[in-house]
Amino acid sequence: MKNVEQYAPQFFPVKNPPMRWAQKTMIEKPPIWCSVDLRDGNQALITPMSLEEKLEFFQYLVKIGFKEIEIGFPAASETEYEFCRTLIDNDMIPDDVTIQVLTQAREHIIAKTFEALKGAKHAIVHLYNSTSVAQREQVFKKSKEEIIKLAEFGAELCKKYREQTEGHFRFEYSPESFTGTEPEFALEICNAVLKIWDPTPDDKVIINLPVTVSHSMPHVYANQVEYMSDNLYKRENVYISLHPHNDRGCAVADSELGLLAGGDRIEGTLFGNGERTGNVDIITLALNMYSQGVDPELDFSNMPELVEVYERVTRMRVYERSPYSGQLVFAAFSGSHQDAIAKGMHWREAHDCKHWNVPYLPINPEDVGRVYEADVIRINSQSGKGGVSYLMETKYGYQIPMKMRESFGYLVKGISDHAHKELLPEEVFQIFKDHYINLETPISFPEIHYVQKGGDAIEAAVTIQYQGKAETVRMEGNGRLDAVSNAVKKYLNMDFTLMTYTEHALEVRSNSQAVSYVELVKNEKSYWGVGVHSDIINSSISAFLSALNQLVQDM
C-alpha cells in the first residue's frame, strides 16, 4: 500500500513490564458491568434515541441485570438533562442500580451536572479530560502541568458540588486517550485526582482507563493496565475500569487481557455500538465467560428479544455473524459440520454429559433463546446427509435409516442447488413427503387380505391397480410384507430385493402413528419408500408401495 511511511506507533509501552497477567488462563469472576449504550452508544447513532426510546432501553438494561448505567451528559443538552430528571423524578431507577453521568472539568458544566442529579439515590459523576500527546499538543496546546491542573480543578469542583447537592454520589475519573498517553504521565494525573478525592473503603473511586482510540496490540494495553494497578494511590480503594473501543478489532481482547491485568470493571455497549468501529461488545465478553462456566451475572437468555429491542430503538442492525447474537452464528450449512453436530447431540443424550462439548457449538443455542431446527441446522446446497437427517428427526420425528440418509441428502442438495437458495425446514419436509411418503402412483393396492398358512407362512391376496386395470394376485411369504412383495413380483414379472425394513413410532407428531422405511434394490440401485399409518402393518405396506413406485417410475 502507498504512504505506509507516514504511519508509526502512537502508543507508549510500559518498560520492563512484569506481565503477571500472562500466567493466567481465564477470567474467574465477572467484572462490574457498566452499560454506556445511552451515552457513548447513543451519541454514535445516525438518529439519536428519543426520550421514550431511551426510557424503554434503560428499563431493558435494568431487566437484563446492569447495576451501573451511564445515561448521558446532562449538561450538554436539554434532551440529556430531561432524560436524567425524568428517571429521577419518576422514581424509575431501582435502589440497586446506579446511574452515571459524564462531565468535563469546567465549573458551569459540573454545576449543571449536579443540578441534574439532585435527589438521585445513587449516581456516579464521571469526570474526564484528555491526556494523550496528540490531544495535549494539537487540541489543547497545554503542557503536562497545565493538563494536571485542569484535572485537579475538576476534581475539586466535583468534591465541592457533591457536598452541596442532595443525593449519594461517587466519583470516576478518565484520562481520556489513555492509550496514547505516556504511562508515567497517566499515573501522575490519576494519582493527583485520587489524592483530592481521597478514596476510602466506604467511598471508593473509579479510575477509568479508556482505549479511546486503539493503537496497539492487546498485550500492550494489558501491560499499561497492570502498571496502573500496581502504582495507583490507595489502590485498595480504587476500582480500575476499562473502556475499550474497537478501532483495531481488538476491543474484546483488550478487555479480557485488561481484566487479567487488574481491571475490575467494564464500560461497554450491547452489540458493540459506539463511535467509529464501536465500543467493546458486552454480550461477547459476558458470554465468553459464560462459555467457560463463569456466571456473568447478566441475563442474555432471550437473545431474539434483546436483538428486537436494540434494533428498534437504535435503528442499528445486528450483524448476522456477530458473536453469540447474530442470526447465523449457530448455523451449520456444511455437511461435515452438520453431521458432527448431530452426532454430538446424540452423544450427549446417550452419555448424560455434565458439561457442554458439542462440536462447532461453543455454547448451547437454547441457553440464549435459539432453537436447533431453526437456527443450527440450515439446509442449502452445501448441506449433508447428517444435517438433513438431524433436522427431520428433531423437528418432525423421522429417524431416517443410515442407508437412506445419503439418498435423501443428495435429493435435498440438488433441489437447493437448482433453486440457488436455502431451504426452510418445512420445505425439506415437503420434499420428503413428495418423494417418499405413502406414494400411490402409478401403482396402488386398493385391497389386501391375509390368510395364515402352516408355520410362519402368510398368504396375501393383493389387488393391484396399475395402468387403469385392477387384478388380484395371491402369493405366500414368510410374513405379510414378504407375501405382498412376492405377489407384486409375479404380477410385474420382475425381480427385486427387499433389502431394508425398519420402523418406529412417530412420537413427535402423534403417539398413535407409526412410520416404516423400506429399501428395494434392483440392478444394484436402491429405491426408498416411507409409510405413515396408525396401524404398523398398513405402515409397512405403504412404505413398500412407495419404494415400489419409485422403482416403477425409473423403469
Coordinates of all heavy atoms in Angstrom, one line a residue, residues 404-435:
M404 N -30.5 -44.7 4.1 CA -31.4 -43.8 3.3 C -30.9 -42.3 3.4 O -31.3 -41.5 2.5 CB -32.8 -43.9 3.9 CG -33.9 -43.1 3.1 SD -35.5 -43.2 3.9 CE -36.5 -42.2 2.8
R405 N -30.1 -42.0 4.4 CA -29.8 -40.6 4.6 C -29.0 -40.1 3.4 O -29.2 -38.9 3.0 CB -28.9 -40.5 5.8 CG -29.7 -40.8 7.1 CD -28.9 -40.7 8.3 NE -29.6 -41.1 9.5 CZ -29.2 -41.1 10.7 NH1 -27.9 -40.7 11.0 NH2 -29.9 -41.5 11.8
E406 N -28.1 -40.9 2.8 CA -27.4 -40.4 1.7 C -28.3 -40.0 0.5 O -28.1 -39.0 -0.2 CB -26.3 -41.4 1.2 CG -25.4 -40.9 0.2 CD -24.2 -41.8 -0.1 OE1 -24.1 -42.8 0.6 OE2 -23.4 -41.5 -0.9
S407 N -29.2 -40.9 0.2 CA -30.2 -40.7 -0.9 C -31.0 -39.4 -0.7 O -31.1 -38.6 -1.6 CB -31.1 -41.9 -1.0 OG -32.1 -41.6 -1.9
F408 N -31.5 -39.3 0.5 CA -32.3 -38.1 0.8 C -31.5 -36.8 0.8 O -31.9 -35.8 0.3 CB -33.0 -38.3 2.1 CG -33.9 -37.1 2.5 CD1 -34.8 -36.6 1.6 CD2 -33.9 -36.6 3.8 CE1 -35.7 -35.5 1.9 CE2 -34.8 -35.5 4.1 CZ -35.6 -35.0 3.2
G409 N -30.2 -36.9 1.4 CA -29.3 -35.8 1.4 C -29.0 -35.2 0.0 O -29.0 -34.0 -0.2
Y410 N -28.7 -36.1 -0.9 CA -28.4 -35.7 -2.2 C -29.6 -35.1 -2.9 O -29.5 -34.2 -3.7 CB -27.9 -36.9 -3.1 CG -26.4 -37.1 -2.8 CD1 -25.9 -38.4 -2.3 CD2 -25.4 -36.2 -3.1 CE1 -24.6 -38.6 -2.1 CE2 -24.1 -36.4 -2.9 CZ -23.7 -37.6 -2.4 OH -22.3 -37.8 -2.2
L411 N -30.8 -35.7 -2.6 CA -32.0 -35.1 -3.2 C -32.2 -33.7 -2.8 O -32.5 -32.8 -3.6 CB -33.2 -36.0 -2.8 CG -34.6 -35.5 -3.2 CD1 -34.7 -35.5 -4.7 CD2 -35.7 -36.4 -2.6
V412 N -32.1 -33.4 -1.5 CA -32.3 -32.1 -0.9 C -31.2 -31.1 -1.5 O -31.5 -30.0 -1.9 CB -32.3 -32.1 0.6 CG1 -32.2 -30.7 1.2 CG2 -33.5 -32.9 1.1
K413 N -30.0 -31.6 -1.5 CA -28.9 -30.7 -2.0 C -29.1 -30.3 -3.5 O -28.9 -29.2 -3.9 CB -27.5 -31.4 -1.9 CG -27.0 -31.5 -0.5 CD -25.7 -32.3 -0.4 CE -24.6 -31.7 -1.2 NZ -23.3 -32.2 -0.9
G414 N -29.6 -31.3 -4.2 CA -29.8 -31.0 -5.7 C -30.9 -29.9 -5.8 O -30.8 -29.0 -6.7
I415 N -32.0 -30.1 -5.1 CA -33.1 -29.1 -5.2 C -32.6 -27.7 -4.7 O -32.9 -26.7 -5.4 CB -34.3 -29.6 -4.3 CG1 -34.9 -30.8 -5.0 CG2 -35.4 -28.5 -4.2 CD1 -36.0 -31.5 -4.2
S416 N -31.9 -27.6 -3.6 CA -31.4 -26.4 -3.1 C -30.4 -25.7 -4.2 O -30.4 -24.5 -4.4 CB -30.7 -26.6 -1.8 OG -30.1 -25.4 -1.4
D417 N -29.5 -26.6 -4.7 CA -28.6 -26.1 -5.7 C -29.3 -25.5 -6.9 O -28.9 -24.4 -7.4 CB -27.6 -27.2 -6.1 CG -26.4 -26.7 -6.8 OD1 -26.0 -25.6 -6.7 OD2 -25.8 -27.5 -7.6
H418 N -30.3 -26.2 -7.4 CA -31.0 -25.8 -8.6 C -31.8 -24.5 -8.3 O -31.8 -23.6 -9.2 CB -32.0 -26.9 -9.0 CG -32.8 -26.5 -10.2 ND1 -32.2 -26.5 -11.5 CD2 -34.1 -26.1 -10.4 CE1 -33.1 -26.2 -12.4 NE2 -34.3 -25.9 -11.8
A419 N -32.3 -24.3 -7.1 CA -33.1 -23.1 -6.7 C -32.2 -22.0 -6.3 O -32.6 -20.9 -6.1 CB -34.1 -23.5 -5.6
H420 N -30.9 -22.3 -6.0 CA -29.9 -21.3 -5.5 C -30.4 -20.6 -4.3 O -30.4 -19.4 -4.1 CB -29.7 -20.2 -6.6 CG -29.0 -20.8 -7.9 ND1 -27.7 -21.2 -7.9 CD2 -29.6 -20.9 -9.1 CE1 -27.5 -21.7 -9.1 NE2 -28.6 -21.5 -9.9
K421 N -30.9 -21.4 -3.3 CA -31.4 -20.8 -2.1 C -31.3 -21.8 -0.9 O -31.2 -23.0 -1.2 CB -32.8 -20.3 -2.2 CG -33.8 -21.4 -2.4 CD -35.3 -20.8 -2.2 CE -36.3 -22.0 -2.1 NZ -37.6 -21.5 -1.7
E422 N -31.4 -21.2 0.3 CA -31.5 -22.1 1.5 C -33.0 -22.6 1.5 O -33.9 -21.9 1.1 CB -31.3 -21.2 2.7 CG -31.5 -22.0 4.0 CD -31.4 -21.1 5.2 OE1 -31.1 -19.9 5.1 OE2 -31.6 -21.7 6.4
L423 N -33.1 -23.8 2.0 CA -34.4 -24.5 2.1 C -34.9 -24.4 3.6 O -34.1 -24.8 4.5 CB -34.4 -25.9 1.7 CG -34.0 -26.2 0.2 CD1 -34.0 -27.6 -0.1 CD2 -35.0 -25.5 -0.7
L424 N -36.1 -23.9 3.8 CA -36.6 -23.9 5.2 C -37.0 -25.3 5.6 O -37.2 -26.2 4.8 CB -37.9 -23.0 5.2 CG -37.6 -21.5 4.8 CD1 -39.0 -20.8 4.7 CD2 -36.7 -20.9 5.8
P425 N -37.1 -25.5 6.9 CA -37.4 -26.9 7.4 C -38.7 -27.4 6.8 O -38.7 -28.6 6.4 CB -37.6 -26.7 8.9 CG -36.7 -25.5 9.2 CD -36.7 -24.6 8.1
E426 N -39.7 -26.6 6.7 CA -41.0 -27.1 6.1 C -40.8 -27.4 4.6 O -41.5 -28.3 4.1 CB -42.1 -26.0 6.3 CG -41.8 -24.7 5.8 CD -41.2 -23.8 6.9 OE1 -40.6 -24.3 7.9 OE2 -41.4 -22.6 6.9
E427 N -39.9 -26.8 3.9 CA -39.6 -27.1 2.5 C -38.9 -28.5 2.5 O -39.2 -29.3 1.6 CB -38.8 -26.0 1.9 CG -39.5 -24.7 1.7 CD -38.7 -23.6 1.1 OE1 -37.6 -23.3 1.7 OE2 -39.0 -23.1 0.0
V428 N -38.0 -28.7 3.4 CA -37.3 -30.0 3.4 C -38.3 -31.1 3.7 O -38.3 -32.2 3.1 CB -36.2 -30.0 4.5 CG1 -35.5 -31.4 4.6 CG2 -35.1 -29.0 4.1
F429 N -39.2 -30.9 4.6 CA -40.2 -31.9 5.0 C -41.1 -32.2 3.8 O -41.5 -33.3 3.5 CB -41.0 -31.4 6.2 CG -42.0 -32.5 6.7 CD1 -41.6 -33.8 6.8 CD2 -43.3 -32.1 7.0 CE1 -42.6 -34.7 7.3 CE2 -44.2 -33.0 7.4 CZ -43.9 -34.3 7.6
Q430 N -41.4 -31.1 3.1 CA -42.3 -31.3 1.9 C -41.6 -32.1 0.8 O -42.3 -33.0 0.2 CB -42.7 -29.9 1.3 CG -43.8 -30.0 0.2 CD -45.1 -30.5 0.8 OE1 -45.6 -30.1 1.8 NE2 -45.7 -31.5 0.2
I431 N -40.3 -31.9 0.6 CA -39.6 -32.8 -0.3 C -39.6 -34.2 0.1 O -39.8 -35.2 -0.7 CB -38.1 -32.3 -0.4 CG1 -38.0 -30.9 -1.0 CG2 -37.2 -33.3 -1.1 CD1 -36.7 -30.3 -0.9
F432 N -39.5 -34.5 1.4 CA -39.5 -35.8 2.0 C -40.9 -36.5 1.7 O -41.0 -37.6 1.3 CB -39.2 -35.7 3.5 CG -39.0 -37.1 4.1 CD1 -37.9 -37.8 3.9 CD2 -40.0 -37.6 5.0 CE1 -37.7 -39.1 4.6 CE2 -39.9 -38.8 5.6 CZ -38.7 -39.5 5.4
K433 N -41.9 -35.7 2.0 CA -43.3 -36.2 1.8 C -43.5 -36.5 0.3 O -44.0 -37.6 -0.1 CB -44.3 -35.3 2.3 CG -44.4 -35.1 3.8 CD -45.7 -34.5 4.3 CE -45.8 -33.0 3.8 NZ -47.0 -32.4 4.4
D434 N -43.2 -35.6 -0.6 CA -43.4 -35.7 -2.0 C -42.7 -36.9 -2.6 O -43.2 -37.6 -3.6 CB -43.1 -34.5 -2.7 CG -44.0 -33.3 -2.4 OD1 -45.0 -33.5 -1.8 OD2 -43.6 -32.1 -2.7
H435 N -41.5 -37.2 -2.1 CA -40.7 -38.2 -2.8 C -40.7 -39.6 -2.1 O -40.3 -40.6 -2.7 CB -39.2 -37.8 -2.8 CG -38.9 -36.7 -3.9 ND1 -39.3 -35.4 -3.7 CD2 -38.4 -36.8 -5.1 CE1 -39.0 -34.7 -4.8 NE2 -38.4 -35.5 -5.6

